[in-house]
Amino acid sequence: MINRIRKLSSIIIAIFMLVECGSQPEKLKPDDSKIMAEQSRENINALSSIEIEHQSSVFNNVRAEPLRKLSVEDFIKPWYALPVTRGTGMFNPMFLSFQYTYEGGKEDLKQSLTFPCLLSFKFDFVPDNFNNFHPAFVFRRYPDVIKIKQDQKESISSYIKTWSATHAIGGELIQGKDGYRGTLVVFDSQGKEIIRQKYQEVMPYFELMGKLVQTWMNYRNQKISPGLLKELERPMCRDMETVRWYGESFDVEWHAQAEWDIYDKILKRDPSFGEVQFWYANQKGWETGDSKAAQIGKGKSLVDHLIMPALNEFSPSDCTDQKLVENFYNMLNYAESIIPENPEIIYKRLNISGKDYSIGELDALIPVTQEYTRSYYLIDNLAFQFKNRGYHEKSIPLYLSALNSGFKTGTGRYDYPLEALSRAFWDLGLLAESIAYSRYGLKNPSKSQKPWLSWDLGLSLRESFNFNEAAICFRERFLAHQDIYSMLIGYMCLYEGGLMDKVLEWEKDPVMGNIKEEIAPFIESRKLLEKGAYEQAIERLKGYPFDIFSGDEWLQREAEIIRADILILSDQINKAKKHAINAWYMAPRSRRTAYLLEQTLGDDIQSLGRFARIAFFIFKEQEYWQRLFGRIKEKGYEEEGPENIISEYNKFINELNKSFARSKIEFFIKQPPFLVEHVALSMIQMEDEDYRQRGLSLYRRYSELMQELSFFQKVHSRIFLRQLMLVEGVLNE
């Protein structure tokens, strides 16, 4: 990786203890952009002129939940399927200038710099090499390092530690009339020599480079296949004069036209010199910002032979030359054939084709991430693949391992794993954890990730009933993405919080006031609810019927929440119950849907008690659920005997034994929330071993079925199953 990645000296989960969970998000200013949906806006504005006489939501009187302080241990959950690793070992070398001795041939005084710069491309084949900065960059950007002598132990150690590296590589190149000899010297992080190997036999220039890398790999007991050996000793070019010209680039201004002219001259003479082609594309791409030209250049660098950083930086989807794309895939196939265990090659294939991997194929990569704990991109991408499939028991510890890997991106941020962790913890109802990661990410976000981090923060703040702060977050994301969900949920937060002055402010805003047509019915329904026109409010949502097998999950859930809200405020509790349960089934770990259930199941102490018991089991550390369970117990809830549990179990098993999944799902979504979880947990807590196994089997089958209902049911049921297995003591079997 060439000056795109840096390594942090220490990144640990404890940094998130420093997050001020109660800090206020930055207030936003209106944008100048326009969104046209005039008819919808006229409807909204007409309703805005009505004087407010009613609650705008059943949530108006719910107090915002304080967020608990988190310790390091709070981020490590017992239901993780993988250990959280810390980046250790591996190989991140810095290069010293080589001693150059001339004994014959055409003298080249720049070889003290040229040789280590080209040698670094050969060292890129070392499987555990996570080299961050190319010596050609370091030598130009910080020329004082060129002056470090190989007998200056303290200077070498300081050089290594300054760049958060692991080793330094130096030595001697001896040029003779018939070829080259030399010496490899490797220093550890304390500046102590750990290898000094002389090569007395005269050999070609690039073959000597290959010998140096072989020495290091043999020292580390790393496998060298015949194909890799061929690449290590393969010439980079066909004309050694171009190597001399490359050295001349150190005499001209960095990133000036004179440097580009030298590279052009080299490639005109020898287009096969792929390392120069790659370096030219990489550096000019950074300087000019022309990513398309950079991709073409990186693609060209792979035409003649394999270059590891070129293979990793080339993006086939961003290259317009299909011949170069075809060549890239051929080169990737070749790389897999000679170095299949290399984590960079594994990452590249995963990054391109990961969506087509089976769970088994993804699982097979987990040991690689545990061996190469600093391979940030592989760990991060594997976590991404599991996250998208709802396997949070694997994605979360992998994202934490990515944070601990010792890498950071070129901009100095960990935006992607931070955002992914915030979203995953929100999916699971772990709000304090979610907010910690999104707030930390928002301290110094990239432009591209800031809207997503704001979105995640808004989701968790809304679930914590912090509606005003949440609305600000959704507004920020909407200004960046112009998406219907941010506008919709932002408005919903204002209504749920009773923030009608903010509603009026948004409606007058040139951006937020231009309501998108797809979400106008939701906002109009809220307006009608606020007016007290309950029947009209329900009617306005008729275009969004509840259908668990089709439609937009997010919009259906919002529609069901609004319907339940309307019916509760209009004292139609029995009708509201169905919609509250529907909303809960689509978001089973939501505090807001739980609040609706408490309002609609209030007289059904048994169903509400079973629900609260399971919620307390899932979220033992959260005061919100502790208070809920306590309230229900005060109302007289008592856990029933085994006869009722077995009766419910038999009913569920009979249904699961039926053939058609659709009818089974329809049956279960009519059951009181968390009833199956209650039965399974109760059976697992029985003394009879047979009942415990049957309870676990019940929930395993139920989990497999309900994963088809919604993404949120999928992540909930997978983690709850693991929590049950912890109780039974079979999680790691």
Side-chain angles (χ1 to χ4, degrees):
M1 300 300 166
I2 300 204
N3 74 354
R4 289 213 175 173
I5 315 162
R6 297 189 180 187
K7 174 183 175 290
L8 283 179
S9 59
S10 177
I11 286 290
I12 58 174
I13 303 169
I15 62 177
F16 301 105
M17 295 172 64
L18 304 176
V19 175
E20 299 265 344
C21 291
S23 61
Q24 298 288 324
E26 181 182 357
K27 291 190 177 181
L28 305 168
K29 298 179 180 179
D31 196 277
D32 292 329
S33 58
K34 305 293 182 182
I35 309 168
M36 300 308 295
E38 293 301 331
Q39 183 61 48
S40 297
R41 185 173 186 179
E42 288 174 8
N43 293 340
I44 300 288
N45 289 342
L47 291 169
S48 297
S49 63
I50 301 169
E51 185 176 350
I52 300 170
E53 298 178 353
H54 300 268
Q55 280 185 273
S56 58
S57 171
V58 73
F59 299 115
N60 285 176
N61 299 323
V62 182
R63 68 181 180 88
E65 284 288 314
L67 295 171
R68 66 191 182 96
K69 293 288 184 178
L70 298 170
S71 67
V72 178
E73 291 75 18
D74 288 320
F75 294 100
I76 307 299
K77 307 300 181 183
W79 41 260
Y80 289 169
L82 310 171
V84 176
T85 62
R86 179 184 301 280
T88 57
M90 297 185 64
F91 179 51
N92 176 20
M94 300 304 294
F95 286 80
L96 301 167
S97 60
F98 270 54
Q99 180 181 340
Y100 172 65
T101 301
Y102 170 70
E103 294 181 350
K106 191 173 182 179
E107 189 175 17
D108 182 0
L109 296 177
K110 288 298 176 182
Q111 279 297 334
S112 61
L113 303 180
T114 297
F115 188 79
C117 288
L118 296 180
L119 175 64
S120 73
F121 283 104
K122 296 294 188 181
F123 267 96
D124 284 335
F125 285 102
V126 175
D128 64 343
N129 184 358
F130 66 106
N131 180 253
N132 300 328
F133 290 94
H134 195 284
F137 164 77
V138 177
F139 292 164
R140 288 178 170 89
R141 183 72 177 271
Y142 303 97
D144 285 349
V145 304
I146 297 173
K147 302 174 185 177
I148 298 175
K149 304 299 182 183
Q150 297 182 28
D151 59 356
Q152 296 175 333
K153 181 178 178 180
E154 291 184 1
S155 295
I156 293 172
S157 177
S158 176
Y159 177 37
I160 293 169
K161 292 174 182 177
T162 296
W163 291 83
S164 299
T166 61
H167 300 80
I169 294 175
E172 180 182 14
L173 177 68
I174 302 171
Q175 179 182 342
K177 179 180 178 181
D178 298 320
Y180 297 83
R181 296 178 290 120
T183 302
L184 170 68
V185 184
V186 181
F187 303 87
D188 67 12
S189 61
Q190 303 305 313
K192 177 185 176 182
E193 281 189 21
I194 57 173
I195 293 179
R196 176 175 285 273
Q197 176 68 49
K198 290 188 176 183
Y199 306 88
Q200 300 288 9
E201 180 184 350
V202 175
M203 64 188 77
Y205 182 80
F206 293 110
E207 183 178 332
L208 176 61
M209 287 185 180
K211 298 296 185 186
L212 268 61
V213 179
Q214 290 173 59
T215 296
W216 173 253
M217 291 185 68
N218 289 332
Y219 174 80
R220 303 273 282 197
N221 295 316
Q222 293 170 333
K223 179 182 177 181
I224 302 175
S225 69
L228 175 56
L229 179 61
K230 179 180 177 181
E231 292 303 319
L232 291 176
E233 298 185 355
R234 180 195 291 273
M236 294 181 182
C237 61
R238 295 180 175 86
D239 188 336
M240 283 298 294
E241 185 67 14
T242 59
V243 174
R244 176 189 298 276
W245 291 348
Y246 173 75
E248 294 174 359
S249 67
F250 293 100
D251 292 329
V252 300
E253 182 182 352
W254 185 33
H255 285 186
Q257 185 59 46
E259 182 182 357
W260 311 144
D261 288 343
I262 289 171
Y263 299 150
D264 283 329
K265 181 172 72 169
I266 291 171
L267 295 171
K268 184 177 181 180
R269 169 73 69 87
D270 189 353
S272 71
F273 205 157
E275 287 74 9
V276 169
Q277 176 74 76
F278 167 75
W279 183 248
Y280 186 14
N282 176 280
Q283 293 295 288
K284 195 169 185 178
W286 279 108
E287 182 68 16
T288 65
D290 189 346
S291 59
K292 291 184 178 179
Q295 287 299 319
I296 293 292
K298 292 171 185 178
K300 288 181 178 179
S301 72
L302 291 166
V303 169
D304 185 75
H305 56 273
L306 176 61
I307 299 169
M308 288 294 290
L311 192 74
N312 285 312
E313 292 191 22
F314 181 77
S315 174
S317 62
D318 295 325
C319 181
T320 56
D321 188 327
Q322 288 306 304
K323 288 186 177 180
L324 293 179
V325 171
E326 291 175 9
N327 179 74
F328 160 79
Y329 281 111
N330 290 335
M331 196 61 76
L332 179 58
N333 291 337
Y334 170 66
E336 289 173 323
S337 72
I338 65 168
I339 43 176
E341 72 287 350
N342 190 296
E344 296 298 321
I345 299 300
I346 294 170
Y347 156 71
K348 193 63 181 184
R349 178 65 72 183
L350 180 66
N351 188 48
I352 293 171
S353 308
K355 66 180 185 301
D356 299 321
Y357 279 42
S358 68
I359 291 298
E361 289 171 323
L362 295 177
D363 283 340
L365 301 183
I366 291 172
V368 183
T369 67
Q370 295 174 339
E371 178 181 359
Y372 298 105
T373 56
R374 295 185 189 269
S375 294
Y376 169 84
Y377 287 112
L378 173 60
I379 298 169
D380 179 73
N381 197 278
L382 186 58
F384 172 79
Q385 301 299 336
F386 281 122
K387 176 181 75 75
N388 282 359
R389 291 161 171 82
Y391 283 63
H392 286 352
E393 72 276 17
K394 297 177 182 179
S395 70
I396 292 176
L398 281 167
Y399 276 125
L400 292 172
S401 297
L403 291 180
N404 281 344
S405 66
F407 273 68
K408 66 177 179 178
T409 58
T411 55
R413 305 182 182 96
Y414 278 97
D415 286 356
Y416 290 100
L418 288 172
E419 191 276 329
L421 283 165
S422 180
R423 179 71 62 84
F425 280 123
W426 174 78
D427 290 342
L428 294 170
L430 299 170
L431 304 183
E433 292 88 337
S434 174
I435 289 174
Y437 283 104
S438 54
R439 283 206 191 281
Y440 187 81
L442 284 167
K443 287 179 178 291
N444 181 33
S446 64
K447 183 178 180 181
S448 64
Q449 284 300 102
K450 184 177 181 180
W452 289 110
L453 287 161
S454 296
W455 165 263
D456 295 335
L457 178 58
L459 290 173
S460 289
L461 289 171
R462 186 190 189 194
E463 283 297 311
S464 304
F465 308 107
N466 287 279
F467 296 115
N468 183 44
E469 293 183 57
I472 293 172
C473 293
F474 292 122
R475 183 174 184 272
E476 175 160 346
R477 190 212 164 184
F478 177 76
L479 293 178
H481 292 170
Q482 302 288 295
D483 63 297
I484 62 170
Y485 301 102
S486 297
M487 173 176 272
L488 168 63
I489 299 178
Y491 267 104
M492 295 300 100
C493 287
L494 297 182
Y495 281 105
E496 289 169 352
L499 304 168
M500 302 314 299
D501 56 335
K502 292 290 185 181
V503 172
L504 295 174
E505 182 182 316
W506 279 27
E507 289 171 348
K508 293 176 182 178
D509 185 279
V511 178
M512 300 305 296
N514 284 291
I515 307 299
K516 287 184 174 285
E517 186 175 1
E518 303 97 312
I519 63 172
F522 295 85
I523 298 174
E524 291 167 12
S525 180
R526 280 287 185 193
K527 280 288 183 184
L528 290 163
L529 166 59
E530 171 198 41
K531 176 185 174 184
Y534 302 124
E535 291 185 9
Q536 292 174 266
I538 290 287
E539 178 67 16
R540 192 65 187 88
L541 292 173
K542 66 180 181 180
Y544 295 88
F546 181 70
D547 182 352
I548 59 173
F549 300 106
S550 64
D552 187 302
E553 277 187 41
W554 289 80
L555 296 182
Q556 286 197 48
R557 184 168 64 251
E558 291 299 326
E560 289 300 281
I561 289 171
I562 296 173
R563 289 185 182 104
D565 203 342
I566 294 167
L567 293 167
I568 291 170
L569 289 178
S570 61
D571 294 324
Q572 301 180 69
I573 302 300
N574 286 334
K575 290 184 178 180
K577 184 186 301 184
K578 176 183 71 173
H579 300 290
I581 291 175
N582 288 345
W584 176 84
Y585 267 103
M586 300 194 78
R589 293 186 173 218
S590 164
R591 293 183 182 183
R592 290 164 49 256
T593 58
Y595 184 78
L596 295 176
L597 289 174
E598 187 176 6
Q599 305 308 303
T600 58
L601 297 175
D603 294 333
D604 186 351
I605 299 300
Q606 186 181 52
S607 294
L608 192 55
R610 290 165 164 175
F611 170 80
R613 172 181 178 250
I614 294 302
F616 176 68
F617 170 78
I618 295 171
F619 303 111
K620 286 185 177 67
E621 72 285 357
Q622 295 187 18
E623 290 185 9
Y624 178 85
W625 303 103
Q626 294 169 11
R627 293 196 306 270
L628 173 62
F629 193 34
R631 288 196 301 272
I632 306 309
K633 287 196 292 186
E634 287 177 1
K635 292 181 179 180
Y637 170 72
E638 295 181 358
E639 295 184 22
E640 67 263 46
E643 297 81 7
N644 287 351
I645 297 299
I646 300 304
S647 175
E648 296 285 6
Y649 166 82
N650 289 330
K651 178 177 68 175
F652 295 150
I653 287 296
N654 288 338
E655 191 64 34
L656 287 169
N657 287 336
K658 294 180 180 179
S659 301
F660 299 105
R662 184 184 183 103
S663 65
K664 288 188 282 189
I665 291 175
E666 290 173 340
F667 167 83
F668 280 109
I669 66 169
K670 294 176 183 177
Q671 304 305 308
F674 281 158
L675 179 55
V676 180
E677 285 84 350
H678 171 74
V679 170
L681 178 60
S682 298
M683 294 183 70
I684 286 174
Q685 292 175 333
M686 292 178 179
E687 293 184 3
D688 188 286
E689 173 67 20
D690 180 60
Y691 280 146
R692 294 203 303 271
Q693 292 302 317
R694 288 161 70 182
L696 191 60
S697 176
L698 164 69
Y699 199 77
R700 181 177 283 110
R701 294 178 63 187
Y702 172 78
S703 173
E704 292 171 357
L705 173 70
M706 297 306 284
Q707 289 185 38
E708 302 302 319
L709 177 59
S710 74
F711 179 81
F712 301 104
Q713 272 288 347
K714 181 175 186 176
V715 298
H716 155 69
S717 61
R718 288 191 62 81
I719 300 306
F720 187 79
L721 176 60
R722 294 186 66 79
Q723 290 176 295
L724 291 179
M725 294 169 72
L726 279 168
V727 174
E728 179 60 8
V730 296
L731 183 57
N732 296 318
E733 292 184 2

